[in-house]
Amino acid sequence: MINEQYLKIYFYRRLVQAKLFIDAHYADNIDLGNIADEAYFSKFHFIRQFKSIYRKTPHQYLIFVRIEKAMELLKTGVPVSEVCYAVGFESLSSFSALFKRIVGITPSTYLTQHQKIKVQIVKSPLNFIPACFAEKYGWLEK
C-alpha cells in the first residue's frame, strides 16, 4: 500500500515537473521530446498521462501558455511581431491564426482594443472603478 502511494506521488511529481518545464521554457524552441524527457516518460505514454491530469495534451498546453503570455504582452503595448517571437512562435501568420482561433480576435485587434481602454482610463478613471467603491472613498460627486 505504501509503495503504491509512493509510486503515485512520484508519478504526479514527474508530470508537474514537465508542466513547470513548459511554464518556464514556453518561449524556447521546445518539443514533445524535450518535455517528455523532463518527466522521464516515453512520448506517447507522457501524452496520455499529461492529458488525463491537465485535460490538454502537452502541445495544447504549450500553445495555451504562449497565447496567455502573448495577451499579457499585448496589453502592455508591445507590437504584435515582437510578441510573436517573444513567446516562442516562429511564424507571424501561424501566431495570428492560433491567437484568433483561441481568443476570437486577431492580435492586432486585441492590441488596439487595449490601447483604447488605456486612453479611456486616463480620460475618465472613475468609469473603471465600481461605484460602491468610489462612493465609499468619497470620489463621487453627490
Side-chain angles (χ1 to χ4, degrees):
M1 182 72 161
I2 292 174
N3 192 26
E4 183 179 316
Q5 190 175 19
Y6 173 77
L7 288 175
K8 283 184 180 182
I9 292 170
Y10 181 68
F11 166 78
Y12 287 120
R13 279 189 179 163
R14 290 184 349 189
L15 286 173
V16 169
Q17 184 176 341
K19 180 190 174 293
L20 293 174
F21 177 78
I22 293 171
D23 292 340
H25 299 281
Y26 67 89
D28 298 339
N29 187 16
I30 58 175
D31 62 7
L32 180 61
N34 302 123
I35 302 166
D37 287 348
E38 191 67 25
Y40 305 107
F41 285 121
S42 71
K43 291 179 188 179
F44 301 108
H45 182 67
F46 175 68
I47 291 171
R48 283 191 305 274
Q49 298 307 318
F50 191 93
K51 188 170 183 177
S52 73
I53 300 298
Y54 294 108
R55 305 280 187 237
K56 292 179 175 156
T57 66
H59 184 259
Q60 290 169 334
Y61 182 73
L62 175 62
I63 296 300
F64 169 78
V65 170
R66 286 178 172 175
I67 295 298
E68 287 291 315
K69 298 295 183 181
M71 290 168 64
E72 290 175 17
L73 289 172
L74 289 168
K75 283 180 183 178
T76 63
V78 178
V80 175
S81 58
E82 286 182 35
V83 169
C84 168
Y85 301 115
V87 298
F89 288 97
E90 295 178 1
S91 163
L92 190 57
S93 60
S94 65
F95 166 67
S96 294
L98 274 170
F99 190 95
K100 184 173 182 178
R101 190 176 80 208
I102 293 169
V103 178
I105 55 176
T106 63
S108 56
T109 303
Y110 188 85
L111 175 63
T112 304
Q113 284 180 351
H114 281 280
Q115 287 175 336
K116 286 179 184 177
I117 290 170
K118 281 184 180 180
V119 169
Q120 290 174 348
I121 289 172
V122 170
K123 285 183 180 177
S124 54
L126 287 178
N127 289 343
F128 295 88
I129 298 173
C132 60
F133 188 81
E135 187 175 330
K136 178 180 177 182
Y137 289 96
W139 298 339
L140 294 179
E141 297 177 11
K142 293 185 179 185

